[in-house]
Amino acid sequence: MAVVAAQTRWLVPPLPSPIGFQSINDDRFSQLRRQAMQLVESRPRQGLQFVEEHRDASFQIHCKGVPVLWLERRSPHVLLQTSLDAKQRAPAVLQMRAILQWQLEPLDYLEQVLAGVPEPVLMDRVLQMLAGEVPDGVRCGMP
């Protein structure tokens, strides 16, 4: 049963692992947006796509059509999410997540809870470990 669940896991969009941060102004958001766009543009043959949800409010990076990184401005915080399989699916996204996180001020635990940022679900992490490698056809770039 676990093997079947692990094999089908790569066929559906993976669940995100969110982190909450303090609110940012329009200029800072535009700067972060440009950095994410540059990551995608610097890897034209890797299958990454920059997807803008709402200008000055949210964007995503997709790997062959599957979201792997999200940045969303919500009042009064910013939510940064990466898929649980980003390391296997699109390793370059982890570097981008680190760059974005470094420029943002994290919410403390209570603020995270009040902002509705859920705790990572243990079962998702267990399924991730059981799933093993992401098939080559759904990867973006080299691990």
Side-chain angles (χ1 to χ4, degrees):
M1 179 79 160
V3 172
V4 172
Q7 289 175 344
T8 61
R9 175 136 174 91
W10 304 119
L11 303 176
V12 297
L15 297 172
S17 179
I19 305 171
F21 296 91
Q22 301 292 331
S23 184
I24 57 175
N25 64 30
D26 291 344
D27 290 338
R28 175 56 60 122
F29 184 83
S30 293
Q31 179 184 23
L32 300 177
R33 181 180 163 275
R34 278 192 305 276
Q35 290 172 348
M37 287 177 71
Q38 288 171 350
L39 169 80
V40 171
E41 291 168 357
S42 71
R43 292 166 170 78
R45 293 188 179 102
Q46 290 188 4
L48 294 174
Q49 301 167 296
F50 180 85
V51 178
E52 191 159 35
E53 294 285 302
H54 303 285
R55 183 145 179 90
D56 297 326
S58 65
F59 64 80
Q60 299 179 358
I61 295 178
H62 290 196
C63 170
K64 297 186 179 178
V66 176
V68 289
L69 182 138
W70 302 255
L71 185 70
E72 181 180 354
R73 287 174 61 189
R74 297 179 179 177
S75 184
H77 62 278
V78 174
L79 192 61
L80 174 63
Q81 304 176 77
T82 53
S83 64
L84 293 175
D85 67 351
K87 182 177 181 180
Q88 293 85 13
R89 189 179 291 271
V93 167
L94 296 182
Q95 181 181 9
M96 177 53 55
R97 180 187 65 190
I99 290 168
L100 295 174
Q101 278 184 245
W102 177 75
Q103 299 175 72
L104 297 168
E105 185 178 337
L107 297 174
D108 65 30
Y109 178 77
L110 181 57
E111 289 173 318
Q112 294 255 1
V113 171
L114 293 174
V117 178
E119 291 281 331
V121 178
L122 179 60
M123 183 54 121
D124 293 332
R125 300 220 183 261
V126 170
L127 284 174
Q128 176 66 32
M129 288 187 297
L130 291 174
E133 290 293 315
V134 175
D136 288 338
V138 298
R139 288 187 191 165
C140 292
M142 300 304 295

